[in-house]
Amino acid sequence: MNEKQRPEIPGIVFRGMNEIEVFQNNTIRPIVKMQHDFLILLFESYLHKRKINFFNFQILKKKESINSIFSKDTTFHHMIIGSVLGHFSETELQFYIRHSNEIHKRIKKIVKKRIEDTFLS
């Protein structure tokens, strides 16, 4: 099996950040970056399965669709969360367990932004 390695993203942790912000920048962002192609494929598969004609939409309609999917479809939301959580170490998982609600929000926001950047630019 060809293992992926988390990319290093320099310059995103600053003095004064709280522990969740540090976790987001040291753990979540590198995992999302590493999983970019997978997450895009997961989103495209979701669109295909739901028969959403996304690629024929105007940009505003695409943005509305992305917002709707991320805010209303808990199944998709759980797939995204699981795709990131599966790359946590034991220590990261223990931190996640203590802060799961906040980390869910951050994962969702980061992945949503990455999908918007991919499909709306």
Side-chain angles (χ1 to χ4, degrees), residues 46-62:
Y46 173 89
L47 296 172
H48 179 73
K49 185 176 181 180
R50 298 288 190 277
K51 296 182 175 132
I52 299 171
N53 201 5
F54 182 83
F55 298 102
N56 290 333
F57 292 166
Q58 299 292 329
I59 289 180
L60 183 59
K61 179 70 173 166
K62 285 181 180 181

Side-chain angles (χ1 to χ4, degrees), residues 90-102:
E90 287 183 33
T91 304
E92 292 164 343
L93 186 60
Q94 290 170 355
F95 182 86
Y96 161 78
I97 290 168
R98 292 191 310 273
H99 305 282
S100 61
N101 288 337
E102 181 62 30

